[in-house]
Amino acid sequence: SSGINAEYGEWRVKCARPIVSASLSMLHTTFNMSVVEWCCLPTSTSDLTYHEEFSDIDLTLLQGCTEFRLIARMKSVLPADNAWQHTQLFRTKLDGNESPFEICLDF
C-alpha cells in the first residue's frame, strides 16, 4: 500500500455533434494535506493522465469527439482518512459570484 487514500468523482458529457473547441473551469479547496487532481479526455481514450492544475489539461484532445469524461481524483496522505471529506469540489467564497463548474463547448 502506498499510504495514499484516493476517491473519485466522474462526469460524462455526450454531444450530438463533434466538438470544435472546449473550455472548462473548476474550483476546489483542500484541507489537511489533501489534493485534487483532474483528468479530462474523450471516453474512447483509456490513458488517464491527472493534473493538479486544471489549466494543465490539454483540451485540444476533445476536438472532434462527441463524448468525454471529466474525473476528479481526491487524495489524502493521512492514514485512515476519507479523502472526499478534506476536498471541497466547486467551492466558492460566500460573497463571490464566480462559477465553480463551467463547461463551454463550440460545435
Side-chain angles (χ1 to χ4, degrees), residues 2-20:
S2 65
I4 295 177
N5 300 305
E7 298 182 42
Y8 300 84
E10 181 172 337
W11 299 265
R12 290 180 181 249
V13 177
K14 292 183 180 183
C15 307
R17 294 179 290 174
I19 296 170
V20 173

Side-chain angles (χ1 to χ4, degrees), residues 5-9 71-76 81-85:
N5 300 305
E7 298 182 42
Y8 300 84
I71 304 167
R73 178 169 61 183
M74 300 157 277
K75 298 189 327 182
S76 177
D81 193 18
N82 291 322
W84 64 269
Q85 290 181 324

Side-chain angles (χ1 to χ4, degrees), residues 34-100:
S34 294
V35 175
V36 176
E37 296 175 326
W38 298 97
C39 178
C40 184
L41 66 163
T43 54
S44 61
T45 304
S46 60
D47 180 27
L48 301 179
T49 303
Y50 290 91
H51 304 275
E52 284 191 32
E53 296 297 327
F54 198 81
S55 59
D56 290 340
I57 295 173
D58 181 7
L59 295 177
T60 62
L61 296 173
L62 302 182
Q63 292 175 348
C65 78
T66 57
E67 186 176 343
F68 68 93
R69 58 188 174 157
L70 175 65
I71 304 167
R73 178 169 61 183
M74 300 157 277
K75 298 189 327 182
S76 177
V77 296
L78 297 177
D81 193 18
N82 291 322
W84 64 269
Q85 290 181 324
H86 292 138
T87 57
Q88 295 183 1
L89 302 179
F90 319 129
R91 171 138 183 185
T92 61
K93 296 179 183 176
L94 289 175
D95 60 352
N97 59 2
E98 64 271 9
S99 177

